[in-house]
Amino acid sequence: KWNRITETALKINGFTEEQCRDPKKQTPLQAYYKFRKWALDRKVKLLAGMHIGSFDVQFLQMLEYRSKFNKWPFGFSFIDLHSVAFGKWKESLSHNTICNLLGTELEPKPHNALEGAKSEWRCLKELLKTDLPFVPEFTFDDLSEPETSKRQFI
């Protein structure tokens, strides 16, 4: 289920299959190692996003259990933007509609997971009116490569 590349996913993310399978690009597992290190260095270790339980958490858990760590470090409580927005407006709203209602920047198209996460954080910060600073910029370049550089397909 997780090792295939679908036409729908290619269209949403703006990639070709050749780009996805480029051996020079980091694998999802390599990217996960970098994300995991970054996330665990944060004061608050709580995952949040739009419909986070329907894809993101499942995908990250699958990567975790295929990793050298094999122990889910994020717990099982998450903040879902859709649910928080439903609590405010009492209707099911898209990410773009929530951004427009809050006056926050829309996620650029095609979809990019990092830019989407940043857009969702801006919405949640506005909805929850927290004093938390914006999550520090995450870039894969700031972190060292995982112990193995062998290409791993998932």
Side-chain angles (χ1 to χ4, degrees):
K1 164 175 167 175
W2 295 98
N3 62 350
R4 62 191 161 101
I5 298 173
T6 66
E7 288 299 319
T8 302
L10 292 173
K11 184 177 178 183
I12 290 170
N13 294 290
F15 294 117
T16 65
E17 185 164 348
E18 292 75 29
Q19 289 172 312
C20 293
R21 299 210 186 272
D22 182 350
K24 296 176 189 160
K25 303 271 178 151
Q26 64 185 345
T27 65
L29 190 57
Q30 290 168 326
Y32 175 70
Y33 283 148
K34 294 173 183 182
F35 167 76
R36 187 184 197 277
K37 181 182 182 332
W38 173 85
L40 293 178
D41 285 343
R42 307 278 65 84
K43 182 177 179 181
V44 177
K45 295 164 184 61
L46 184 65
L47 299 178
M50 181 77 168
H51 303 295
I52 191 160
S54 64
F55 176 79
D56 304 87
V57 169
Q58 293 175 43
F59 186 71
L60 293 172
Q61 284 177 332
M62 181 270 308
L63 290 170
E64 175 68 29
Y65 294 123
R66 291 184 178 187
S67 77
K68 63 184 178 185
F69 304 108
N70 196 26
K71 183 177 181 199
W72 181 243
F74 300 109
F76 295 95
S77 298
F78 314 105
I79 300 175
D80 179 62
L81 173 58
H82 181 266
S83 299
V84 175
F86 186 87
K88 179 174 179 71
W89 289 293
K90 308 296 186 256
E91 61 181 304
S92 180
L93 302 171
S94 71
H95 181 198
N96 283 347
T97 300
I98 294 167
C99 289
N100 287 329
L101 288 168
L102 295 171
T104 61
E105 187 178 339
L106 295 174
E107 175 187 357
K109 298 293 181 208
H111 172 70
N112 172 291
L114 181 56
E115 293 305 316
K118 289 172 11 181
S119 175
E120 292 158 8
W121 174 253
R122 288 189 292 271
C123 290
L124 281 165
K125 184 176 178 187
E126 183 65 26
L127 279 168
L128 299 174
K129 295 289 187 184
T130 67
D131 292 328
L132 293 174
F134 185 77
V135 176
E137 187 73 26
F138 172 74
T139 66
F140 293 119
D141 298 333
D142 296 336
L143 303 170
S144 61
E145 288 293 318
E147 290 177 17
T148 178
S149 61
K150 182 180 176 186
R151 181 133 179 104
Q152 298 179 27
F153 290 96
I154 56 169

